[in-house]
Amino acid sequence: MSTQPVGPEPVNVVCPSCHQQVVTRTEPKATTKTHLIALIMCLTCLWPCACCLYCTQCARNTEHFCPSCNAFVGTYER
C-alpha cells in the first residue's frame, strides 16, 4: 500500500517517518506477475526475452524509500 503518491522515478516527498523533505531512493522489485510472465516465455522458447524482464524495469514495480531513515514511502505498481 502506498502512503504517498509515487511514480517510476524518484520523487520529492515529506517522509512519513522522519518528516524530512527528501527525494526518495528507488529500488526495482520483481513481482509474482514478473515471474509468471518469465515462466510463460521460457515455456514458449522465448527464454532470452524472459531474462530481459529481470534486467529492465518494464515488468518490475518500483519501491520508494527515505534516504535519511530508510523508511518505506510507497510502491509504484506496473
Side-chain angles (χ1 to χ4, degrees), residues 4-15:
Q4 301 251 354
V6 293
E9 301 296 325
V11 293
N12 193 4
V13 298
V14 174
C15 174

Side-chain angles (χ1 to χ4, degrees), residues 3 13 15-16 18 31 33 38 46 52 56-57 78:
T3 57
V13 298
C15 174
C18 68
T31 63
K33 186 193 310 185
L46 295 172
C52 292
T56 64
Q57 293 185 12
R78 296 195 186 264

Side-chain angles (χ1 to χ4, degrees), residues 3-4 11-24 64-73:
T3 57
Q4 301 251 354
V11 293
N12 193 4
V13 298
V14 174
C15 174
S17 181
C18 68
H19 306 290
Q20 291 186 27
Q21 184 81 24
V22 297
V23 175
T24 58
H64 292 258
F65 298 92
C66 174
S68 297
C69 67
N70 291 321
F72 175 75
V73 176

Side-chain angles (χ1 to χ4, degrees), residues 29-39 50 53-54 59-61:
K29 180 166 176 130
T31 63
T32 303
K33 186 193 310 185
T34 307
H35 301 309
L36 287 174
I37 293 169
L39 176 63
L53 290 176
Y54 297 100
R60 297 187 289 171
N61 291 347

Side-chain angles (χ1 to χ4, degrees), residues 37-54:
I37 293 169
L39 176 63
I40 291 167
M41 289 178 141
C42 285
L43 294 174
T44 58
C45 299
L46 295 172
W47 62 266
C49 296
C51 295
C52 292
L53 290 176
Y54 297 100

